[in-house]
Amino acid sequence: MDFVPSFALVAPELLLIGAGLVLLLVAAWGGDKTARGIAIAAAAALFGAGLMLVPGLHVGVDSPATLAFGGLLKVDSFALFAKALIYLAAIGALIVAPAFFNSAAAGAERVMRAEYPVLVLFATVGMSIMVSANDFMSLYLGLELNSLSAYVLAAILRKDTRSGEAGLKYFVLGALASGILLYGMSLLYGLTGGTAFSVVRASLTGEIGTGALFGVVFVLSGLAFKISAVPFHMWTPDVYEGAPTPVTAFFATAPKVAAVALTARVAFEVFGAQVQAWQQIVMFTALASIIFGALGAIGQENLKRLLAYSSINNIGFILLGLAVANADGASAMLVYLFIYVAMSLGSFVALLMLRDDEGALLETFADIRGLSVTRPAIAWALLLFMFSLAGIPPLLGFYSKFVVFQATVEAGLIAFGAIAIAASVIGAFYYIKFVKVMFFDEPAGVVTGKSGAGHWALLGLTALIISPLGYLLTPSLTDLADKAAAALFLAV
């Protein structure tokens, strides 16, 4: 086998692996004092890897020559779109990290661990493999590389009991989900005789038996855990609340993109001939996530925990596009993912800027009372993000919901779309609660800490993207999403 073309196709991953190994050695010898430099180098590596994606992202890679390493990986425009979002989200998580870890917000440690950016790099490599997977073997390899890095990231504050608890819960439940996924994969392998997506798809044509149906259900259940979809969402609120906030921002963006993209690839490329077998499952999961995410957030006082339920709610809307089971639905799903990453990243950056004089983070509604008086810039930014997450026009979050609802209705799933639209109204309550507390309550006066230029730049950029000016991006975004979605339905 000639590996040279394969190495060329995975050049971004090779760059990230090389950078991760080199920076790991620097961290081992230099210690935590090199953490800031390592973070800058890691962000530069991610940016360089992102630049490598640009030619294929614009042209669209859709020929059989995109198969790498004997069909284990598939580099198409769908994978490139997802990778670009993942790399951008990872860069954002690196930008906001140093100020958090070197302040009182990190508790007793007050030092950024040098391995933090290295773990982010390796998690990103895992996610890149996930979205390019064309075989259950490479799928699981990428999934576990990402998951193992994520478990350590969640528990990286060793002296913080909340961080340790988050890491432990994530690990235990993640191991359970991996077992479910592996069981489904083993069933499909036993029934079809192969692990390649094309082999499994060819064997699942026509009417399938009970064993194969169980395999489909178990595989989708394992993937549902990774995207925090109901009923496999139980880890999300605890991990989001307990993990360090930069890590939570990372979990809420990059791994979500990777897991959704992987789920879509498996659904369309592996189970594409059995849409009726999984479409109803996805429809139920989407509606349950929308409703439960909205209802679960209503009584929350911790802002990070509330955004965890918001994440579950938004995953439901993203799954609407998957449930449509056609290229239009997949394109709408990708558009929603892009806008969701901007909204989530901006929301968590705003939370990272809620500090007291000593630099400790403030995470409850009581802390942001009257924020519009004491810190108006942060309050107005939060207002934009919350209204956009609620889908209130003219913010870009409205467009994300519009495109998935449009795809749902055009596919003839009118009742399904109507229920989802009605359920979306519930979520507006807790988003508007932010506005009520920040703009109409008496000022608490506790948010007095200063934020760095990196936080302000990232906050301003994400706020600009989700503002009405963001609609200028929609023609290009829709074009890229259409090309990426079309790649899922091309025969290899």
Side-chain angles (χ1 to χ4, degrees), residues 47-421:
F47 184 74
L51 290 179
M52 293 181 179
L53 306 175
V54 173
L57 193 64
H58 281 286
V59 175
V61 183
D62 54 21
S63 69
T66 57
L67 294 182
F69 302 109
L72 288 174
L73 297 176
K74 183 179 182 182
V75 184
D76 55 8
S77 48
F78 179 79
L80 296 178
F81 186 98
K83 288 178 188 180
L85 275 183
I86 291 167
Y87 296 169
L88 289 173
I91 291 172
L94 290 174
I95 290 174
V96 299
F100 171 88
F101 286 109
N102 295 323
S103 70
E109 297 186 40
R110 291 201 180 203
V111 61
M112 181 172 174
R113 306 295 299 276
E115 58 266 31
Y116 171 83
V118 177
L119 287 167
V120 170
L121 276 182
F122 286 136
T124 304
V125 172
M127 289 183 273
S128 287
I129 295 173
M130 286 168 60
V131 299
S132 287
N134 194 47
D135 188 288
F136 280 122
M137 301 300 288
S138 52
L139 179 157
Y140 193 71
L141 178 68
L143 190 68
E144 286 306 297
L145 179 56
N146 170 48
S147 297
L148 291 173
S149 301
Y151 302 150
V152 181
L153 283 171
I156 200 165
L157 293 181
R158 292 179 297 180
K159 298 179 183 178
D160 188 328
T161 55
R162 292 200 312 167
S163 179
E165 180 184 352
L168 182 61
K169 287 180 177 179
Y170 197 10
F171 171 71
V172 172
L173 294 173
L176 174 63
S178 292
I180 293 172
L181 179 64
L182 277 174
Y183 184 63
M185 288 163 52
S186 65
L187 280 175
L188 293 175
Y189 171 69
L191 292 167
T192 63
T195 57
F197 288 175
S198 57
V199 172
V200 177
R201 181 186 177 113
S203 300
L204 294 181
T205 55
E207 187 174 350
I208 60 173
T210 304
L213 185 59
F214 269 98
V216 172
V217 172
F218 275 107
V219 167
L220 291 179
S221 297
L223 294 176
F225 173 90
K226 300 300 179 182
I227 60 175
S228 310
V230 174
F232 304 97
H233 64 284
M234 70 292 291
W235 61 275
T236 313
D238 291 338
V239 172
Y240 273 42
E241 181 181 1
T245 305
V247 175
T248 305
F250 181 63
F251 287 170
T253 51
K256 284 287 192 298
V257 174
V260 168
L262 176 59
T263 304
R265 189 179 289 282
V266 170
F268 293 129
E269 294 192 356
V270 185
F271 307 140
Q274 298 295 334
V275 172
Q276 296 301 319
W278 58 260
Q279 188 178 38
Q280 293 181 0
I281 298 173
V282 175
M283 290 171 68
F284 166 78
T285 302
L287 290 179
S289 298
I290 292 171
I291 295 171
F292 184 86
L295 294 176
I298 289 176
Q300 301 301 322
E301 289 297 322
N302 183 281
L303 303 181
K304 287 171 66 178
R305 197 172 183 88
L306 185 147
L307 287 179
Y309 283 101
S310 170
S311 173
I312 297 170
N313 177 259
N314 278 277
I315 283 297
F317 290 112
I318 292 170
L319 288 177
L320 291 180
L322 180 60
V324 172
N326 60 27
D328 290 338
S331 175
M333 178 187 71
L334 293 175
V335 170
Y336 199 115
L337 270 177
F338 174 85
I339 299 171
Y340 169 74
V341 167
M343 295 187 296
S344 290
L345 189 58
S347 299
F348 280 103
V349 171
L351 294 193
L352 280 166
M353 298 171 74
L354 302 176
R355 303 169 181 269
D356 61 16
D357 285 330
E358 297 180 355
L361 283 186
L362 304 168
E363 299 179 352
T364 67
F365 274 112
D367 297 322
I368 63 171
R369 286 186 288 113
L371 189 65
S372 61
V373 176
T374 57
R375 302 299 296 274
I378 300 176
W380 281 100
L382 268 173
L383 179 146
L384 287 177
F385 294 125
M386 293 305 110
F387 276 5
S388 187
L389 283 167
I392 297 176
L395 300 173
L396 200 58
F398 167 77
Y399 181 73
S400 65
K401 287 184 170 58
F402 173 78
V403 291
V404 293
F405 288 145
Q406 183 182 38
T408 303
V409 172
E410 288 180 351
L413 303 175
I414 298 176
F416 175 58
I419 296 172
I421 292 172

